[in-house]
Amino acid sequence: MPGLLEDKTLLATGAASGIGRAVALVAAREGARVVVSDVAAEGGEETVRLVEEAGGEAAFVKADVSRAEEVESLVDAAVETYGRLHCAVNNAGIEGVLAPLAEYPDEVWDRVLAVNLTGVYRCMKSEIPRMLENGGGVIVNVASILGLVGFANAPAYTAAKHGVVGLTKVAALENSARGVRVNAVCPGFIETPMVMERGVEAGAHPEVMAQISALHPIGHMGRSEEIAEATVWLCSDASSFVTGQALAADGGYVAQ
Ligand code: NAP
């Protein structure tokens, strides 16, 4: 049976780790050639190795999504490497720090917005024209449940992710009739370095892990692969009538 992304090229940013790496692996399993991008070269090369070990095809391109010229070069490299860009998963993101709005460090605010919101804007700005000139494509922006609801002490992250959801709707309205569908996926708390080793450091604090797990009606945190499966479905023709949506993959978090 052909895979969901047979003969497609998929670009994933932030793919050296966590959700982005899982997207690369699931997309490759479904037949895609994957352009793995990240600021972290070692992890990115490791993702390529894991894809190849599983029988897939991938190439690493280093890029910082907060830098316009690097994003443009990345999208050019993806098209040059595999001939066309069918799917883009704009996933790179950072957590910032946990602090109330009134005490939030301005330099962290600027960086979180630059990577998590402006980075997605820059990626779509480069990806959409390449997709339009080559017969269409699909974009999935990795937002968050914090793109749908607020979370105390995460003002920059919450604002950026709400922005990603808004930007997703705008891009979908502008481009869906022209052949480019645009959606967002909104993960709940997922067991990646962002949550386990940094941010709330759930890996080091069992009581935090239990508190975070209890926030999800399903009773536990999610795995990167679970977000990757939803993302790849959104990238595939199986979701051909879905556009402008923010799909919560969150164990029921925002249903409460
Ligand atoms: P992760 O394991 O930390 O992976 C993120 C990757 O993005 C890292 O390899 C990181 O490199 C890279 N990156 C950071 N800044 C970048 C930049 N400017 N340009 C390119 N790459 C950059 O985190 P994750 O949990 O998989 O998160 C992936 C996405 O899911 C993020 O957008 C995050 O906000 C979102 N998300 C995560 C969760 C969660 O609970 N984990 C929930 C909802 C949404 P470095 O490690 O070198 O910084």
Side-chain angles (χ1 to χ4, degrees), residues 10 72 75 91 95 113 129 137 158 174 187 189 192 197 206 226 255:
L10 179 143
E72 274 170 39
V75 174
N91 163 78
E95 67 278 10
L113 271 288
T158 303
E174 290 174 357
F189 282 84
T192 72
E197 297 162 22
E226 295 176 297

Side-chain angles (χ1 to χ4, degrees), residues 139-149 161-170 172 181-188 230-231 233-234 241-250 254-255:
I139 294 174
V140 178
N141 297 319
V142 179
S144 168
I145 47 173
L146 305 194
L148 302 172
V149 295
K161 294 299 187 180
H162 273 71
V164 170
V165 170
L167 213 50
T168 298
K169 292 175 185 170
V170 171
R181 290 189 298 118
V182 188
N183 290 290
V185 66
C186 297
T231 302
W233 176 77
L234 283 172
F241 203 50
V242 181
T243 193
Q245 291 301 306
L247 173 68
D250 67 347
V254 299

Side-chain angles (χ1 to χ4, degrees), residues 14 17-19 38 63-65 91 142-143 157 161 187-188 190 192 195 198:
S17 175
I19 293 168
D38 206 289
D64 179 338
V65 298
N91 163 78
V142 179
Y157 189 90
K161 294 299 187 180
I190 309 300
T192 72
V195 165
R198 308 188 309 270

Side-chain angles (χ1 to χ4, degrees), residues 72 75-76 79 85 121-136 139 175 178 180:
E72 274 170 39
V75 174
D76 286 347
V79 174
L85 181 63
Y121 159 74
R122 291 197 193 293
C123 284
M124 288 205 286
K125 202 170 180 182
S126 292
E127 292 155 359
I128 288 168
R130 301 312 290 266
M131 288 178 171
L132 289 175
E133 72 194 26
N134 285 307
I139 294 174
N175 296 291
R178 303 199 289 167
V180 178

Side-chain angles (χ1 to χ4, degrees), residues 44-248:
E45 296 288 5
E46 175 64 6
T47 300
V48 169
R49 197 192 63 73
L50 291 168
V51 167
E52 289 173 347
E53 190 179 77
E57 195 177 342
F60 175 68
V61 180
K62 189 169 191 263
D64 179 338
V65 298
S66 70
R67 301 176 70 94
E69 68 285 2
E70 291 190 25
V71 172
E72 274 170 39
S73 304
L74 164 63
V75 174
D76 286 347
V79 174
E80 273 158 33
T81 305
Y82 292 126
R84 216 191 119 169
L85 181 63
H86 299 91
C87 312
V89 178
N90 299 320
N91 163 78
I94 55 175
E95 67 278 10
V97 297
L98 288 171
L101 185 154
E103 293 159 28
Y104 207 79
D106 285 346
E107 67 282 7
V108 181
W109 168 274
D110 288 344
R111 186 65 190 154
V112 171
L113 271 288
V115 175
N116 293 10
L117 178 56
T118 310
V120 171
Y121 159 74
R122 291 197 193 293
C123 284
M124 288 205 286
K125 202 170 180 182
S126 292
E127 292 155 359
I128 288 168
R130 301 312 290 266
M131 288 178 171
L132 289 175
E133 72 194 26
N134 285 307
V138 188
I139 294 174
V140 178
N141 297 319
V142 179
S144 168
I145 47 173
L146 305 194
L148 302 172
V149 295
F151 196 82
N153 298 313
Y157 189 90
T158 303
K161 294 299 187 180
H162 273 71
V164 170
V165 170
L167 213 50
T168 298
K169 292 175 185 170
V170 171
L173 293 177
E174 290 174 357
N175 296 291
S176 297
R178 303 199 289 167
V180 178
R181 290 189 298 118
V182 188
N183 290 290
V185 66
C186 297
F189 282 84
I190 309 300
E191 292 181 24
T192 72
M194 179 179 281
V195 165
M196 300 304 284
E197 297 162 22
R198 308 188 309 270
V200 294
E201 295 181 350
H205 304 287
E207 71 287 1
V208 173
M209 179 86 178
Q211 281 167 9
I212 299 281
S213 296
L215 294 173
H216 302 75
I218 207 165
H220 54 82
M221 286 169 57
R223 290 177 293 107
S224 294
E225 294 71 22
E226 295 176 297
I227 305 308
E229 296 287 352
T231 302
V232 165
W233 176 77
L234 283 172
C235 284
S236 77
D237 291 342
S239 63
S240 54
F241 203 50
V242 181
T243 193
Q245 291 301 306
L247 173 68

